[in-house]
Amino acid sequence: MTFVSSPLAGRAIGLAAVPDPVFSGAMVGPGTAIDPVREPSAAVSPVDGIIVSLHPHAFVVVDDEGHGVLTHLGIDTVQLNGDGFELLVAKGDTVQRGQEVIRWNPAAVEAAGKSPVCPVVALEATAEALSDVAVEGDVKAGAPLFVWQ
């Protein structure tokens, strides 16, 4: 069982509210989304594991059970070409839950015309494999988001 924590402080809104059909339709996988606090912050690892994919706007951590969790910082933020994002770890690094991975500013993303909403997705999972999914309410970085059976 994998307990997935919020990589950011903000408000849980659920995947259906993500302004991107690929995420809102759960085509990438089930999970939830965070509408982040509009201030400079660091996205933290939602689980203990290894960074298997790392881009300025997104990262995937795989835990000991082989569960890969994608954190995507904003929507269409790949178009910002890394501007405003600072990588704090490297691909292949072992990270602990709560460890800072990428520093960014959601307000700057919004000012650039992109949505700062952050999907947090269980890769290669079924919706039935997740429980206790946070889809509303304020969350702090490190707070429970969902459980992956």
Side-chain angles (χ1 to χ4, degrees):
M1 199 176 328
T2 298
F3 294 88
V4 178
S5 303
S6 182
L8 302 156
R11 191 169 46 87
I13 60 171
L15 280 185
V18 175
D20 179 291
V22 173
F23 285 112
S24 64
M27 291 180 228
V28 179
T32 191
I34 304 298
D35 189 3
V37 173
R38 303 301 194 271
E39 60 189 30
S41 63
V44 302
S45 181
V47 295
D48 293 341
I50 297 172
I51 301 283
V52 297
S53 180
L54 180 66
H55 303 278
H57 65 283
F59 62 94
V60 175
V61 181
V62 174
D63 73 3
D64 288 343
E65 293 184 41
H67 292 154
V69 180
L70 166 68
T71 299
H72 201 284
L73 302 177
I75 301 301
D76 295 329
T77 44
V78 66
Q79 297 167 2
L80 299 177
N81 298 314
D83 289 347
F85 297 87
E86 179 188 356
L87 301 178
L88 305 174
V89 298
K91 183 177 176 182
D93 284 359
T94 297
V95 293
Q96 301 300 311
R97 178 189 314 273
Q99 182 176 337
E100 294 185 352
V101 177
I102 300 173
R103 194 166 288 125
W104 73 310
N105 185 346
V109 165
E110 201 165 46
K114 307 297 178 195
S115 169
V117 167
C118 298
V120 181
V121 176
L123 298 175
E124 300 178 22
T126 62
E128 299 77 36
L130 303 189
S131 61
D132 302 323
V133 180
V135 294
E136 62 183 14
D138 292 339
V139 293
K140 292 185 162 107
L145 268 194
F146 55 84
V147 178
W148 189 347
Q149 303 293 339

